Amino acid sequence: MKRLKTLLETLCVAFSLYSRLPMPQIQWTPSNMRYALWALPLIGVVAGLVMSLWNGVALRLGLEAPLRAAGLALAPVLVTGGIHLDGFCDTCDALASHADASKKLEIMKDPNAGAFALIGLACYFTLYFGLACQWAPDGKQTGLMTLCLALERSLAGLAMCRLPCAKNSGLAHAFADAAAKRQTTVFLGFLSLALAGGLLWWGRRAGLMAFAAALLCLAGYRRMALRQFGGITGDLQGYFVQFCEISCLAALVLSGILW
């Protein structure tokens, strides 16, 4: 019973922070935060299921491509509450400053959205909407996107365990400090391989392109975080999740055009 209680509390911690799904209010403790990163991919699965549900409803109702695409673009945001988009916007402001690492970290702490955050957000959703209009998802395609949404969060958890934190405060530092890093690295590593295997088996060329896109995003994220910030933060993690999501979608769309 004690292990089951800890497991349920761990799920509550992860979902209450990284999603808008209603969860019981519990106190965060070292025990229920220890394996919270293990649950991150489940949030991606939920986001993918919501996308699949909306796509099915849109097709059943005969909705035109723009309205269907708008729902696909908004579905992950409705699940997460925009927590990753907040990090994306803060990172856009920081990167646009071309300042040193300490100044960029100060900019990301500012609760106000700057001009480059708004520009980045507008460009992001314009591109996402365009890709979703071009995308013609069936059950297989939305299944592949669900795997991608889980994979990007698995890779984000790995980054939190393996990369240094840029500062000694914030949510990223709190979760990285509380996490069982060795066990979490092994679990998320095997899970990432399993998700990659699922993409390759189910999607073949499309799955291969999506997996390659995710790996390229991870490599670019690691390079950017270390060179420009000296490590990762919660905002940078959100930036990675959003960038990886749209990159995987672009890979699926491109595979459909090529084959």
Side-chain angles (χ1 to χ4, degrees):
M1 289 297 295
K2 184 177 180 180
R3 289 185 177 181
L4 178 60
K5 180 175 180 292
T6 302
L7 173 61
L8 294 176
E9 288 183 352
T10 297
L11 291 174
C12 287
V13 168
F15 274 82
S16 63
L17 176 61
Y18 292 108
S19 80
R20 286 301 181 188
L21 300 178
M23 289 287 149
Q25 295 294 322
I26 63 170
Q27 183 179 0
W28 291 12
T29 64
S31 62
N32 58 36
M33 292 178 65
R34 186 172 175 81
Y35 299 105
L37 295 178
W38 293 32
L40 281 182
L42 288 177
I43 301 172
V45 171
V46 174
L49 291 177
V50 173
M51 291 182 76
S52 299
L53 178 61
W54 167 253
N55 186 64
V57 171
L59 292 176
R60 179 64 62 89
L61 296 177
L63 301 182
E64 297 294 333
L67 185 56
R68 178 183 56 80
L72 291 173
L74 293 176
V77 183
L78 294 177
V79 173
T80 64
I83 185 172
H84 304 304
L85 280 173
D86 177 69
F88 176 85
C89 291
D90 289 340
T91 304
C92 286
D93 273 337
L95 291 174
S97 70
H98 299 289
D100 57 27
S102 60
K103 181 61 177 178
K104 287 175 181 170
L105 292 174
E106 289 182 15
I107 291 173
M108 286 199 295
K109 289 174 59 178
D110 190 341
N112 299 310
F116 288 100
L118 300 179
I119 293 171
L121 190 62
C123 291
Y124 181 89
F125 275 110
T126 299
L127 178 58
Y128 205 118
F129 178 76
L131 290 171
C133 283
Q134 182 67 35
W135 194 32
D138 51 15
K140 178 179 178 180
Q141 285 290 314
T142 52
L144 291 174
M145 191 62 194
T146 300
L147 291 178
C148 290
L149 291 169
L151 176 62
E152 69 194 23
R153 285 163 173 80
S154 181
L155 295 177
L158 282 174
M160 193 174 291
C161 289
R162 305 311 303 171
L163 298 179
C165 291
K167 54 185 182 179
N168 295 324
S169 61
L171 284 174
H173 179 267
F175 271 85
D177 190 53
K181 292 186 177 180
R182 182 176 178 180
Q183 296 92 324
T184 301
T185 299
V186 172
F187 175 80
L188 292 180
F190 277 111
L191 180 59
S192 298
L193 291 176
L195 292 169
L199 284 170
L200 297 176
W201 175 78
W202 199 4
R204 298 188 180 181
R205 291 171 176 172
L208 177 61
M209 291 183 65
F211 179 53
L215 289 183
L216 288 174
C217 288
L218 180 62
Y221 169 60
R222 179 183 182 278
R223 176 183 173 87
M224 180 269 289
L226 294 179
R227 292 189 63 180
Q228 300 208 38
F229 296 89
I232 64 170
T233 67
D235 287 329
L236 289 174
Q237 288 285 94
Y239 179 87
F240 166 73
V241 169
Q242 296 295 159
F243 191 74
C244 191
E245 179 179 329
I246 200 171
S247 298
C248 289
L249 177 60
L252 294 177
V253 172
L254 181 59
S255 69
I257 295 174
L258 294 178
W259 296 291

